[in-house]
Amino acid sequence: MAGTLAVLTAAALISGCDPVGATGGSDAGAGSTGPSTDPSRTAACTRFFGDADYHEAPAWRVLEGAAAITSTDDGPSDGSPATAVASGVETAFADAPEDTREAAADVATWLRTAPAPGEHADLDAFAVTWQGLAESCTPDSAAATWAAGHGQQGAKPAALVCAEVFTAPSTLSVFADREQVALHLTAIAGASPQAVPTSAATEVAEASDLLTAQSVAVDDPAVAAALREVRTPFQDALQGDLDSPGLHDPLTELGAACTAAGYDVPDPLAGTDPDPSDRGTA
């Protein structure tokens, strides 16, 4: 993907973070000393970004909506769904300070205007507005802090990492769509044993980088170890070993580690394809 989004994503992988906080980050909150003293901003930002359990976070719905708009397969035929999401963003920040309301309004404006061009909508522009909203919510929200690239490595909440793997859409990550990271991982390396397609070299490298950064960023050793196990077949493939043992066990172990860390993952393989019989090297 060209333009701002590609630049943000590339910079994120170098620094250990990405535009939506899917991976690690830089030193927290340059110039900040802690949460803002405005309780209305804190309430709006934590509610919107889902702190601290990250279940049903409104932010995820906005990212999913942006991905749906730009989908080449099934983007919305009109602006109604996006308009509803846009109104939700404005409502979420209605009582926040003016600068945060303005940042939210920029996101809402993109959502209202993007359905017209549909798959040709400027996702780079969305990335910029999203970054602006996240910056406005730093450091009131841990998720916003990581989305803005200000998270401190080794201190990223395990619940946030787990949500980004199993729940959050991949809209502004290296995969750039509305599917979850876990689905992308199994599409490449399989839930069951399969050969990693030779045509997936770019995706293999991106997945390895993303899992590495998450394992470095997370504050829970068990989740970090499980992420490294999930990463193994991708690292092997980069070394030329394309025989993946599948991700069923590693993702199950990651789900268990996430649950133990406070983020319940009842079925970490939900939505994945357990039958790789139609796959193979390309």
Side-chain angles (χ1 to χ4, degrees):
M1 182 176 295
T4 304
L5 179 56
V7 172
L8 287 172
T9 301
L13 289 175
I14 294 171
S15 66
C17 68
D18 81 23
V20 293
T23 54
S26 57
D27 289 342
S32 66
T33 57
S36 67
T37 57
D38 193 318
S40 64
R41 191 197 317 269
T42 301
C45 290
T46 55
R47 194 163 49 235
F48 180 76
F49 283 99
D51 303 272
D53 62 12
Y54 307 106
H55 286 288
E56 304 296 328
W60 300 161
R61 294 197 293 273
V62 175
L63 291 172
E64 185 175 19
I69 289 170
T70 56
S71 170
T72 57
D73 295 324
D74 54 358
S77 59
D78 60 59
S80 299
T83 296
V85 175
S87 296
V89 174
E90 292 170 329
T91 299
F93 291 97
D95 297 326
E98 182 178 2
D99 61 329
T100 303
R101 290 200 311 273
E102 291 177 350
D106 289 341
V107 173
T109 296
W110 187 92
L111 289 166
R112 288 196 174 97
T113 58
E119 66 184 85
H120 301 294
D122 190 349
L123 194 59
D124 292 348
F126 175 76
V128 172
T129 63
W130 189 257
Q131 184 88 359
L133 180 56
E135 289 280 359
S136 182
C137 282
T138 300
D140 295 276
S141 157
T145 299
W146 284 94
H150 299 311
Q152 185 175 5
Q153 291 193 358
K156 188 173 185 179
L160 176 57
V161 170
C162 294
E164 289 173 350
V165 173
F166 292 113
T167 305
S170 297
T171 310
L172 297 181
S173 79
V174 294
F175 298 116
D177 63 22
R178 57 178 156 174
E179 298 294 347
Q180 290 74 40
V181 167
L183 295 181
H184 284 287
L185 298 178
T186 56
I188 300 167
S192 301
Q194 70 169 57
V196 176
T198 57
S199 59
T202 298
E203 291 82 359
V204 167
E206 290 171 341
S208 179
D209 287 345
L210 188 151
L211 290 165
T212 297
Q214 287 281 38
S215 68
V216 171
V218 71
D219 65 359
D220 185 280
V223 173
L227 285 165
R228 290 192 293 270
E229 288 301 313
V230 174
R231 183 187 61 184
T232 297
F234 299 95
Q235 289 193 317
D236 289 347
L238 290 174
Q239 298 299 317
D241 181 0
L242 300 179
D243 292 326
S244 168
L247 294 177
H248 180 279
D249 290 347
L251 282 177
T252 299
E253 291 171 6
L254 177 59
C258 287
T259 298
Y263 188 84
D264 186 26
V265 185
D267 185 359
L269 293 168
T272 63
D273 181 6
D275 182 7
S277 58
D278 59 345
R279 299 184 186 273
T281 55

